[in-house]
């Protein structure tokens, strides 16, 4: 990957020109490259193939955009962005799909399967599953009306997975600000990254059990609450199907990637306790929320930067991993 140094020089120059201190670092550039240019000669069809499958999936189910974005999050938070989240359990192997944050929660595996299958038929063992996850996350944001960015490419896929790390390292829906900050810092992301990446909750849904603390109006974290909002959640979650009933994370523009999530937080309409606590639990996070609520451009720029940082977490390159033929299994 060092042969792509030219890309890295360009990235570093852009960093200086735009004065964003929390974006890519020089050491990261030595390992993975920016953009699909590294595949242009060997698999020029790759990016259009990935985009077309994501476009089809989101057209059929708008919620799939959030699901594909979430796959990338849950992958990167467990030992880095290595596609370990995609590995199935076998008789001799325990993956991460049955970990508490993932079981009966993560979706979109079939979309990844379809993408990988077509890529393997066109360019065998060329595009890693980890690179696919990073790309579908970006494409999902774009197709929902959000910003775009150049994907860092060149990741390899892991030869292992960790259910224990998935249980311990992925932030939970009832987390306090202190817990959120600790979980993000554990993987190398800062408080600002945490607030920016929480903005991914501007799309998608969550099931009633994940926000049961919100049904009381306030919980042990002293969350600000909008009484009408709480009443609507209580009604949704009072039926016999309460364990599977789901609410929009952003009830105003549920399928649009925008800054409405932060506006909702200031109105006491954050769905998850870990969302609303960004306003009620810490002055520093509240100030960032207020900035994003006022200026969607600032949110979009910070979100892009934090996505690039997250996508560079503990990546495997060259001989440290493999390019799987099937994303669900080690070769």
């Amino acid at each position: 990957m060092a042969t792509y140094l030219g890309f890295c020089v360009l990235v570093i120059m852009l960093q200086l020109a735009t004065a964003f201190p929390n974006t890519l670092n020089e050491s990261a550039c030595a390992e993975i490259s920016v953009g699909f240019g590294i595949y242009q000669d060997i698999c020029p069809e790759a990016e259009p193939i990935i985009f077309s499958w994501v476009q089809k999936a989101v057209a059929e189910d708008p919620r799939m955009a959030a699901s594909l974005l979430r796959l990338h999050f849950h992958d990167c938070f467990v030992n880095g962005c290595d596609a370990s989240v995609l590995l199935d359990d076998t008789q001799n192997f325990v993956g991460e799909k049955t970990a508490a944050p993932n079981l009966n929660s993560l979706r979109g595996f079939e979309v990844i399967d379809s993408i990988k299958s077509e890529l393997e038929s066109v360019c065998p063992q060329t595009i890693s599953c980890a690179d696919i996850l990073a790309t579908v996350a970006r494409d999902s944001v774009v197709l929902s009306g959000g910003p775009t960015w150049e994907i860092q490419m060149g990741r390899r896929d892991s030869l292992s997975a960790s259910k224990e790390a998935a249980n311990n390292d992925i932030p939970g829906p009832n987390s306090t600000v202190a817990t959120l900050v600790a979980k993000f810092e554990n993987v190398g992301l800062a408080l600002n990254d945490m607030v920016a990446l929480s903005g991914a909750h501007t799309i998608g849904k969550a099931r009633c059990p994940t926000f049961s603390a919100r049904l009381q109006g306030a919980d042990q974290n002293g969350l600000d609450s909008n009484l009408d909002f709480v009443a609507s959640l209580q009604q949704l979650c009072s039926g016999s199907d309460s364990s599977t009933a789901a609410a929009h994370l952003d009830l105003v523009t549920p399928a649009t990637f925008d800054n409405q999530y932060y506006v909702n937080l200031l109105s006491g309409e954050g769905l998850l306790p870990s969302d609303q606590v960004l306003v009620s639990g810490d002055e520093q996070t509240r100030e960032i929320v207020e900035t994003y609520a006022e200026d969607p451009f600032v949110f979009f720029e910070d979100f892009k930067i934090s996505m690039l940082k997250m996508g560079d977490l503990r990546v495997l390159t060259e001989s440290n991993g493999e390019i799987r033929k099937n994303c669900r299994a080690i070769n």
Side-chain angles (χ1 to χ4, degrees):
M1 296 302 166
T3 57
Y4 307 119
L5 182 60
F7 283 103
C8 300
V9 172
L10 176 60
V11 172
I12 294 165
M13 289 173 65
L14 287 173
Q15 288 175 216
L16 294 173
T18 53
F20 285 126
N22 64 331
T23 186
L24 298 173
N25 55 51
E26 193 168 355
S27 62
C29 287
E31 296 181 340
I32 58 179
S33 183
V34 178
F36 264 84
I38 67 172
Y39 294 128
Q40 204 57 48
D41 293 334
I42 53 177
C43 192
E45 306 94 331
E47 191 166 21
I49 285 172
I50 295 173
F51 185 83
S52 66
W53 277 106
V54 178
Q55 187 175 41
K56 179 177 182 290
V58 173
E60 294 175 352
D61 176 10
R63 184 186 170 198
M64 188 55 69
S67 298
L68 294 173
L69 178 57
R70 190 162 177 251
L71 275 179
H72 186 43
F73 275 81
H74 282 228
D75 181 43
C76 292
F77 264 79
V78 181
N79 297 328
C81 307
D82 59 4
S84 59
V85 72
L86 301 177
L87 292 170
D88 284 341
D89 285 7
T90 68
Q91 188 173 0
N92 302 311
F93 180 85
V94 177
E96 297 164 13
K97 291 182 178 179
T98 56
N102 299 337
L103 183 63
N104 298 320
S105 177
L106 289 185
R107 306 167 68 239
F109 297 110
E110 294 78 11
V111 178
I112 304 301
D113 292 340
S114 297
I115 293 170
K116 184 59 173 174
S117 177
E118 183 168 353
L119 287 175
E120 285 298 305
S121 67
V122 175
C123 314
Q125 284 193 273
T126 303
I127 314 296
S128 70
C129 302
D131 277 352
I132 292 172
L133 283 177
T135 307
V136 300
R138 188 273 313 274
D139 291 350
S140 294
V141 170
V142 171
L143 287 164
S144 301
T148 188
W149 58 93
E150 285 291 321
I151 299 293
Q152 301 158 263
M153 307 302 293
R155 301 169 188 80
R156 294 282 173 143
D157 300 323
S158 70
L159 304 175
S160 63
S162 177
K163 181 177 180 179
E164 179 182 6
N167 279 323
N168 294 331
D169 296 346
I170 297 172
N174 293 304
S175 298
T176 63
V177 170
T179 300
L180 290 170
V181 170
K183 297 275 189 181
F184 275 72
E185 289 183 344
N186 181 56
V187 298
L189 297 172
L191 179 145
N192 285 25
D193 298 311
M194 181 269 287
V195 182
L197 292 173
S198 294
H201 286 174
T202 188
I203 55 176
K205 292 184 176 182
R207 293 180 180 178
C208 291
T210 64
F211 56 86
S212 58
R214 295 290 277 138
L215 303 181
Q216 310 306 316
D219 69 357
Q220 67 272 17
N221 296 321
L223 299 180
D224 299 328
S225 296
N226 178 308
L227 295 181
D228 290 338
F229 176 65
V230 171
S232 69
L233 297 181
Q234 291 170 337
Q235 182 176 4
L236 172 70
C237 299
S238 62
S240 57
D241 62 344
S242 61
S243 62
T244 57
H248 291 294
L249 288 160
D250 170 5
L251 68 124
V252 181
T253 55
T256 302
F257 195 98
D258 55 21
N259 69 331
Q260 185 62 45
Y261 163 81
Y262 299 103
V263 177
N264 295 343
L265 297 187
L266 294 175
S267 301
E269 296 177 344
L271 182 63
L272 303 178
S274 58
D275 292 327
Q276 194 59 46
V277 77
L278 298 180
V279 166
S280 61
D282 184 271
E283 188 61 32
Q284 189 175 359
T285 57
R286 183 186 179 92
E287 289 177 1
I288 300 172
V289 169
E290 290 172 343
T291 298
Y292 292 163
E294 293 171 3
D295 193 335
F297 177 76
V298 174
F299 163 52
F300 278 11
E301 289 301 308
D302 285 359
F303 184 81
K304 291 190 294 184
I305 293 164
S306 294
M307 284 295 290
L308 284 168
K309 285 182 67 175
M310 186 183 75
D312 189 35
L313 295 176
R314 297 177 64 180
V315 295
L316 303 175
T317 57
E318 299 179 349
S319 61
N320 293 321
E322 66 177 12
I323 296 178
R324 293 183 205 142
K325 300 175 185 177
N326 175 353
C327 291
R328 293 175 178 264
I330 297 165
N331 292 342

